[in-house]
Amino acid sequence: MELVIVQQNVCGRDVYEGKRNIQDYEILIKEVREENPDIIFLTEFYYREMYDITQEILEEYEFIKPVLLSEEDENKDGLYASCILAIKKTTVNKGERFELANMLDYRYICADLNIKTGKILKVLLMYVPQTYNATRYRVEQKRKMLVSANKYITRNSNTLIFVGGDMNSDIDGKTTTCIKEFEQIYEKLIDTDCKKKATWKGKRLDYALISKTMKSSVNTIPLETQSDHIGLRTVWNI
């Protein structure tokens, strides 16, 4: 069986600021659906404007939200920098979700996914804040988030684990903040992206990383859509 995982930044801020409209998003999410993924992770997700239409287009999927996201939060006008996970009902079942310390509440999903083959895949999916010209407080938020992720990865180093998302960390150019903290994560895992193509404005910010127990069975290629971020399409032979 091949398990297909697609991750994509969907430009929620552009929709919030009026630079894109919801029709643009509809085209984008249909492009993602055409890849026929079993697991979809969307970052920069604007719940108030995007959730209903995403449900309509991805009707064969079940949705997993950040563990601390409330219904009131979903309706907030300014919450455009969140994330959501969709799993295909015929191949993947939702397991337990986990709350991690020092994470930004709406920017990560940590869960066990039960694959129909009987395997359990642990996923830690993140939308790490960008810190270009940011305050020290914002940089510290990013650092704490990466440190917390590193602790979770260390605890689960011998299990099947997939760590992905918009990390806002450029391991190749080393041009972003908190690169040391990201390197500690990167070195514990396998980078599945064989082309290592820049995903946003000359930087590689989006990653699909796996535990070393999965090394020979996973491959990732770039996915170009209507988004200003290049997405990633990962195939796991299980």
Side-chain angles (χ1 to χ4, degrees), residues 164-183:
D166 183 352
M167 306 293 190
N168 271 302
S169 300
D170 183 10
I171 196 73
D172 306 307
K174 301 184 187 296
T175 57
T176 52
T177 60
C178 307
I179 198 66
K180 176 183 175 182
E181 286 77 10
F182 183 64
E183 281 182 327

Side-chain angles (χ1 to χ4, degrees), residues 72-151:
E72 181 182 355
D73 293 328
E74 291 181 43
N75 292 317
K76 287 180 179 177
D77 180 46
L79 186 61
Y80 56 79
S82 191
C83 58
I84 193 167
L85 179 65
I87 55 175
K88 188 178 286 185
K89 298 173 185 177
T90 55
T91 55
V92 184
N93 293 317
K94 178 172 64 175
E96 187 177 357
R97 287 185 302 169
F98 303 95
E99 180 181 348
L100 303 183
N102 295 318
M103 287 281 194
L104 291 173
D105 291 347
Y106 316 131
R107 285 178 171 258
Y108 80 99
I109 295 171
C110 183
D112 286 351
L113 301 181
N114 301 308
I115 313 304
K116 74 173 184 179
T117 59
K119 293 185 177 181
I120 295 176
L121 177 64
K122 290 185 172 293
V123 294
L124 174 55
L125 305 166
M126 295 183 286
Y127 178 34
V128 177
Q130 69 87 12
T131 49
Y132 178 71
N133 285 338
T135 62
R136 289 185 181 179
Y137 176 73
R138 192 63 164 173
V139 173
E140 183 62 11
Q141 283 183 313
K142 177 179 179 179
R143 189 191 69 79
K144 287 181 176 179
M145 195 169 181
L146 292 173
V147 169
S148 180
N150 189 16
K151 290 178 180 178

Side-chain angles (χ1 to χ4, degrees), residues 13-238:
R13 181 170 183 169
D14 282 355
V15 174
Y16 172 73
E17 294 179 346
K19 297 175 182 177
R20 295 175 185 243
N21 57 41
I22 202 63
Q23 288 74 34
D24 295 325
Y25 172 71
E26 184 176 353
I27 294 170
L28 196 164
I29 200 65
K30 285 180 178 178
E31 289 178 317
V32 170
R33 186 188 62 185
E34 287 173 2
E35 297 298 319
N36 195 29
D38 300 286
I39 299 170
I40 302 171
F41 181 56
L42 305 177
T43 57
E44 203 174 316
F45 189 80
Y46 186 7
Y47 269 89
R48 199 182 81 164
E49 299 297 327
M50 293 177 171
Y51 184 64
D52 287 347
I53 195 168
T54 307
Q55 279 190 308
E56 292 175 13
I57 294 170
L58 301 178
E59 60 181 353
E60 68 272 39
Y61 291 80
E62 180 180 4
F63 293 91
I64 301 173
K65 303 172 185 178
V67 67
L68 296 177
L69 185 76
S70 68
E71 186 174 341
E72 181 182 355
D73 293 328
E74 291 181 43
N75 292 317
K76 287 180 179 177
D77 180 46
L79 186 61
Y80 56 79
S82 191
C83 58
I84 193 167
L85 179 65
I87 55 175
K88 188 178 286 185
K89 298 173 185 177
T90 55
T91 55
V92 184
N93 293 317
K94 178 172 64 175
E96 187 177 357
R97 287 185 302 169
F98 303 95
E99 180 181 348
L100 303 183
N102 295 318
M103 287 281 194
L104 291 173
D105 291 347
Y106 316 131
R107 285 178 171 258
Y108 80 99
I109 295 171
C110 183
D112 286 351
L113 301 181
N114 301 308
I115 313 304
K116 74 173 184 179
T117 59
K119 293 185 177 181
I120 295 176
L121 177 64
K122 290 185 172 293
V123 294
L124 174 55
L125 305 166
M126 295 183 286
Y127 178 34
V128 177
Q130 69 87 12
T131 49
Y132 178 71
N133 285 338
T135 62
R136 289 185 181 179
Y137 176 73
R138 192 63 164 173
V139 173
E140 183 62 11
Q141 283 183 313
K142 177 179 179 179
R143 189 191 69 79
K144 287 181 176 179
M145 195 169 181
L146 292 173
V147 169
S148 180
N150 189 16
K151 290 178 180 178
Y152 175 79
I153 293 162
T154 301
R155 290 196 303 270
N156 294 281
S157 59
N158 294 322
T159 60
L160 299 177
I161 185 169
F162 181 93
V163 179
D166 183 352
M167 306 293 190
N168 271 302
S169 300
D170 183 10
I171 196 73
D172 306 307
K174 301 184 187 296
T175 57
T176 52
T177 60
C178 307
I179 198 66
K180 176 183 175 182
E181 286 77 10
F182 183 64
E183 281 182 327
Q184 290 172 349
I185 291 174
Y186 188 84
E187 289 169 1
K188 284 186 170 73
L189 300 169
I190 299 295
D191 185 352
T192 65
D193 188 350
C194 58
K195 295 189 177 180
K196 299 184 178 180
K197 188 174 181 179
T199 58
W200 186 79
K201 295 188 177 181
K203 294 182 173 62
R204 186 159 72 105
L205 304 181
D206 302 76
Y207 292 83
L209 307 173
I210 58 167
S211 56
K212 294 179 180 178
T213 56
M214 301 164 65
K215 181 177 180 180
S216 62
S217 59
V218 184
N219 184 52
T220 298
I221 60 171
L223 176 64
E224 299 206 25
T225 65
Q226 296 290 319
S227 174
D228 62 356
H229 274 248
I230 292 176
L232 298 177
R233 185 182 191 274
T234 300
V235 178
W236 177 27
N237 293 300
I238 56 176

